[in-house]
Amino acid sequence: MGHHPVEDSNNSNNRPFEEIINARLSRRRMLTGTASAATVSVLGAFGLAACGGSSNSGSSNAPADTGGLTVAPDNLGFRAVPTSLEDRVIVPEGYRADVLYAKGDPLISGLAPFRNDGTDVDYDNRAGDEHDGMHFFGLGSSGQYDASVSDRGILVLNHENLEDNTLHETATAKQDAIDADDLVTLKKIVDREMNGHGVSCVEVRKTNGKWSVVLDSPYNRRVTVFTEMEMKGPVAGAEFARTRLSPDGSKRFGTMNNCANGYTPWGTYLAAEENWYAYFAALDGAEFDALSEKEQAWVARYGVGAAWAYRQWDRVPGDQYARFSIAATGASATEDFRNEANVHGYITEVDPFRPAQKPRVRTAFGRFSHEGAWVAPVKAGQPVVIYSGDDSRREYMYKYVSAAAWDPADANAGLVAGDKYLDEGTLYVAVFNEDGTGSWKALSIDNPELAGTQSYQLDESNSLDFDFQSQAEVLASARLAADVVGATPMDRPEWAAVNPLNGDVYLALTNGNAGNRPADDLDGANPRAVNANGHIIRWKEDNADHAATAFEWDIFLFGSSADAEADYNVSGLTTDNEFSSPDGLFVDPRGVLWIQTDDGSSGIRSTTNNQMLVAIPGAVGDGESVTVTTSDGSEQASIATFVGQSAEAMQLKRFLVGPMGCEITGITMTADARSLFINVQHPGEGGTAAAFNRDVSTWPATSGDATAVGEADNRPRSATIVIYREDGGEIAI
Ligand code: FEO
Ligand code: CA
Ligand code: CA
Ligand code: CA
């Protein structure tokens, strides 16, 4: 669902504009020099992988048998692909792309292949819909996590949402069942939808140079909206977390709208819930009025009951479905589901190596529209630090710092290590200052700023009073706490990524959602009015310590069409690299940066399908001070900010373009950098039942060649694809 109206409940007034103008006018900053390849310290993923190898002194085509990775390459060794409106995947010359795991593909051999007519059931044993965030976990010979294994692994991926018109027999099948009061058919359809969400764990192997799914592997599993999970961390057991199905607040069922992800150095997967609030039936006026002001503030600030993605699951009889209505219908909270929305919006931890263990809901990260959860490289004796953005309009960037210090002996401890590092720690929210510095503010019940009565501006004439009574309340209403401490509203935080070579943190700000950034509401970190094309900001934590509470930032790259005016096309994009709406980000173990796009109708989608680009990213401070002039249509603003080196200097190049109507998202690479897995999400999005999509996509082809156009009448399907260099060498260099 790339075109959903994004939740917009941040009515805080966190940036007095006069102050920002004054700060900007008086600002000066010295730019720091570029870190050279010779001086960066080389860390593998979490310091575990032996990256070996040194800088590949300028060769643009690394030989396939270097024996180690080409760390900090000087050049990208492929020719940029052109923009494309074709209904197939485009990769550079010398590369191939295979379809590995598509919507509806079975995980067990007893199940019929995908039927292409919307009659498949059993999605609890098939690939779900809308593949998104993903990680490849190397699988060692005795079944343990081994990050260095590059030919056998467990691929774990999210299924964010559904393409209704291709999932069911017809696009109107569910509404038809509702209109006919046919509860038997409705239940079948709703079960398919609830099982079509969640997470896939699937064993994959490379044999004779080609990857395939291992049917019937003991690691194959689906986590769905029905899966029982344990609530962990401060919110577990809280009064506001108790429901009819969990009277002591100790469990939750299922996860939904899992957008991006994370992975831990102890071999587990982190699934984020993004637009979870939209799955609940909206409260009517009387039901809302019956809540306390604090409860009203929580519902309103999180947009719970947003109608745009409400799926009517609560129409099916039974508690597993009734929980999607949060109206108070019983005599107490343990007789209904008034608290059900309070247990969603967290990070869920899944252990791919121990399929019998229930996933654990990690509430210490706070509750918001988590895009994902990116663990910074760990160091023995230092806390575990995890970055997570809140992807809605004008929302914030957060990080979590564990109380426990990392012990490398926990590297295979699974959810037990999760209990140690993820249940006790401090949640921080980011403030980006006008002078290029920033700070992290603790969302702790001990923070004096959070004491006493607070107020949420519901609309122009009504405000709601609330307070924070416990750390559990601070975490469950993290957005309200972040408002209070003056966090910086951003242009929709999507993926983050940490450069393992120097610790710089990158954050994609996908766009301002057409008009949500008027010219009188800008700042240095979000400097463009409307900002239809988005930008990527980055920062360096003080002393390269991810637990630091201060940082220095600049804007790495601005999205734009190549022919836009120079003070809008700030990074100097050309036809080889123009893009809009950055979303997925990844810095691979060699320090090569990947960008994936989710460009809706407001961007440059009329000239190209969504795409993936590659760059050699440099470092915070490698560019210059600039002034960006933009207009919201009625008013113009010139904002001073800091931009990194030009697109040309970072060698930004288009590596891949997807089929029609898709988003490119999800990215993970084997440790040898020779297999790259990505997801093609919702090809043909937005169509009708008759012509399955707006652009009549039929991707993927039944041959499994991702670069081929699909056959007539194929229903378009989200799919994981794997990309290889034909000569077997490292990808992109
Ligand atoms: Fe699901 Fe924020 O993208
Ligand atoms: Ca999407
Ligand atoms: Ca995303
Ligand atoms: Ca997006």
Side-chain angles (χ1 to χ4, degrees):
M1 298 271 295
H3 300 298
H4 60 70
V6 171
E7 193 278 322
D8 181 16
S9 60
N10 188 352
N11 302 331
S12 71
N13 186 18
N14 270 356
R15 278 160 302 108
F17 190 61
E18 296 305 317
E19 271 180 39
I20 289 172
I21 291 286
N22 292 337
R24 200 168 61 231
L25 291 175
S26 62
R27 166 177 61 188
R28 292 288 183 277
R29 187 176 77 153
M30 297 296 292
L31 295 167
T32 56
T34 307
S36 75
T39 59
V40 296
S41 65
V42 176
L43 308 167
F46 305 124
L48 294 175
C51 281
S54 57
S55 178
N56 168 24
S57 54
S59 161
S60 63
N61 278 302
D65 57 352
T66 52
L69 289 186
T70 309
V71 175
D74 296 323
N75 291 298
L76 297 174
F78 66 93
R79 192 179 309 151
V81 302
T83 55
S84 166
L85 291 167
E86 293 183 53
D87 192 29
R88 65 190 190 95
V89 170
I90 311 286
V91 289
E93 215 176 291
Y95 286 80
R96 75 174 205 270
D98 296 338
V99 177
L100 179 64
Y101 183 61
K103 167 183 178 173
D105 278 352
L107 289 170
I108 54 177
S109 53
L111 225 54
F114 175 76
R115 280 195 186 85
N116 194 44
D117 61 5
T119 61
D120 286 322
V121 288
D122 302 330
Y123 272 85
D124 51 339
N125 273 312
R126 295 181 183 276
D129 207 346
E130 294 213 357
H131 302 35
D132 207 315
M134 172 167 61
H135 189 68
F136 175 89
F137 292 88
L139 181 56
S141 51
S142 46
Q144 83 285 13
Y145 175 41
D146 184 344
S148 70
V149 175
S150 291
D151 59 359
R152 183 189 179 203
I154 307 173
L155 204 55
V156 187
L157 60 139
N158 290 340
H159 299 287
E160 185 183 30
N161 206 334
L162 308 174
E163 286 298 297
D164 305 54
N165 56 343
T166 55
L167 182 68
H168 304 307
E169 290 174 67
T170 66
T172 60
K174 184 162 69 178
Q175 195 56 49
D176 294 346
I178 290 168
D179 293 345
D181 205 21
D182 178 356
L183 292 178
V184 173
T185 301
L186 181 62
K187 179 175 183 304
K188 187 180 82 176
I189 288 169
V190 168
D191 285 349
R192 183 189 287 134
E193 292 192 351
M194 291 171 70
N195 284 323
H197 280 77
V199 175
S200 281
C201 302
V202 51
E203 186 184 339
V204 291
R205 279 197 209 212
K206 190 181 184 187
T207 314
N208 299 326
K210 197 172 165 65
W211 286 92
S212 58
V213 165
V214 180
L215 286 178
D216 304 315
S217 162
Y219 302 106
N220 290 357
R221 144 163 90 136
R222 287 297 320 286
V223 172
T224 74
V225 185
F226 292 110
T227 304
E228 186 174 333
M229 305 182 171
E230 295 176 24
M231 293 291 288
K232 301 292 286 185
V235 172
E239 199 159 340
F240 62 78
R242 298 176 187 179
T243 74
R244 183 176 162 90
L245 281 171
S246 176
D248 60 358
S250 67
K251 62 184 169 185
R252 184 185 87 181
F253 289 87
T255 184
M256 66 262 190
N257 215 272
N258 304 103
C259 190
N261 68 307
Y263 65 100
T264 68
W266 50 91
T268 63
Y269 182 83
L270 303 174
E273 291 193 339
E274 188 186 24
N275 295 311
W276 52 273
Y277 54 86
Y279 288 70
F280 297 94
L283 296 174
D284 65 27
E287 289 163 347
F288 186 77
D289 291 344
L291 301 176
S292 70
E293 281 193 46
K294 183 192 279 191
E295 289 166 336
Q296 289 178 346
W298 286 25
V299 167
R301 185 66 180 83
Y302 282 86
V304 176
W308 59 268
Y310 170 51
R311 294 196 161 275
Q312 309 190 74
W313 291 343
D314 57 304
R315 286 176 175 269
V316 178
D319 285 349
Q320 281 295 344
Y321 311 95
R323 62 194 165 98
F324 293 97
S325 167
I326 61 164
T329 53
S332 73
T334 55
E335 290 170 51
D336 59 32
F337 294 99
R338 69 187 68 175
N339 287 334
E340 182 71 11
N342 298 338
V343 298
H344 286 279
Y346 303 98
I347 298 292
T348 299
E349 186 179 21
V350 175
D351 187 344
F353 298 89
R354 298 170 180 86
Q357 292 192 354
K358 290 175 196 154
R360 296 185 186 170
V361 181
R362 301 297 182 187
T363 64
F365 290 58
R367 172 173 169 257
F368 47 91
S369 287
H370 286 277
E371 175 74 11
W374 290 275
V375 183
V378 287
K379 290 183 190 150
Q382 301 292 315
V384 175
V385 177
I386 308 180
Y387 294 95
S388 186
D390 183 351
D391 181 11
S392 282
R393 295 169 180 167
R394 292 172 51 79
E395 292 300 344
Y396 308 130
M397 183 65 202
Y398 298 81
K399 78 174 176 186
Y400 167 85
V401 178
S402 71
W406 172 242
D407 178 352
D410 291 328
N412 272 298
L415 297 175
V416 173
D419 291 348
K420 177 176 171 183
Y421 298 106
L422 303 183
D423 289 343
E424 203 183 327
T426 305
L427 183 68
Y428 294 88
V429 68
V431 176
F432 291 82
N433 300 319
E434 291 302 299
D435 64 356
T437 66
S439 62
W440 292 101
K441 308 268 279 187
L443 302 181
S444 160
I445 189 70
D446 300 325
N447 181 342
E449 291 176 79
L450 298 179
T453 302
Q454 310 289 345
S455 182
Y456 172 66
Q457 198 68 33
L458 180 64
D459 53 38
E460 278 186 8
S461 49
N462 295 291
S463 63
L464 300 169
D465 285 351
F466 65 92
D467 60 5
F468 300 102
Q469 289 288 335
S470 63
Q471 185 61 22
E473 288 194 357
V474 170
L475 294 166
S477 61
R479 281 183 176 172
L480 289 165
D483 292 344
V484 171
V485 302
T488 303
M490 310 297 285
D491 285 351
R492 291 188 53 202
E494 298 262 20
W495 288 51
V498 182
N499 184 343
L501 303 191
N502 64 9
D504 285 357
V505 188
Y506 290 77
L507 172 66
L509 297 164
T510 198
N511 57 54
N513 258 98
N516 199 253
R517 276 285 179 183
D520 66 354
D521 187 26
L522 305 175
D523 58 48
N526 303 275
R528 292 198 299 197
V530 183
N531 196 16
N533 302 131
H535 58 286
I536 299 171
I537 198 167
R538 66 180 168 180
W539 61 90
K540 180 195 295 292
E541 303 278 10
D542 269 13
N543 303 314
D545 172 9
H546 287 284
T549 54
F551 59 89
E552 185 181 333
W553 62 266
D554 65 14
I555 293 179
F556 169 61
L557 188 61
F558 287 92
S560 177
S561 58
D563 58 8
E565 289 172 19
D567 58 1
Y568 184 84
N569 183 10
V570 184
S571 300
L573 303 189
T574 67
T575 51
D576 279 348
N577 54 29
E578 60 180 339
F579 74 95
S580 179
S581 305
D583 190 337
L585 283 183
F586 175 53
V587 186
D588 73 31
R590 306 166 300 178
V592 173
L593 183 139
W594 299 77
I595 301 166
Q596 300 174 314
T597 69
D598 176 15
D599 181 21
S601 52
S602 66
I604 58 172
R605 196 162 169 173
S606 58
T607 59
T608 186
N609 299 336
N610 274 303
Q611 57 178 308
M612 182 162 73
L613 306 105
V614 192
I616 297 174
V620 172
D622 64 11
E624 58 188 2
S625 302
V626 294
T627 298
V628 179
T629 301
T630 51
S631 166
D632 60 12
S634 57
E635 196 182 334
Q636 184 170 290
S638 293
I639 304 292
T641 188
F642 308 97
V643 67
Q645 62 187 349
S646 68
E648 183 181 12
M650 69 176 77
Q651 302 180 47
L652 180 69
K653 283 198 259 187
R654 184 178 301 107
F655 182 85
L656 174 147
V657 186
M660 291 174 172
C662 80
E663 166 186 346
I664 300 296
T665 183
I667 178 164
T668 183
M669 187 182 257
T670 51
D672 63 4
R674 284 158 168 82
S675 302
L676 177 69
F677 303 88
I678 68 158
N679 284 320
V680 174
Q681 189 188 61
H682 60 60
E685 178 190 52
T688 64
F692 292 121
N693 54 69
R694 188 182 61 195
D695 304 306
V696 199
S697 172
T698 57
W699 189 91
T702 50
S703 67
D705 177 357
T707 67
V709 176
E711 295 82 3
D713 298 329
N714 273 9
R715 290 184 176 213
R717 302 157 72 190
S718 296
T720 300
I721 66 173
V722 54
I723 297 160
Y724 324 77
R725 217 166 92 180
E726 281 167 346
D727 67 2
E730 282 186 50
I731 290 176
I733 63 165

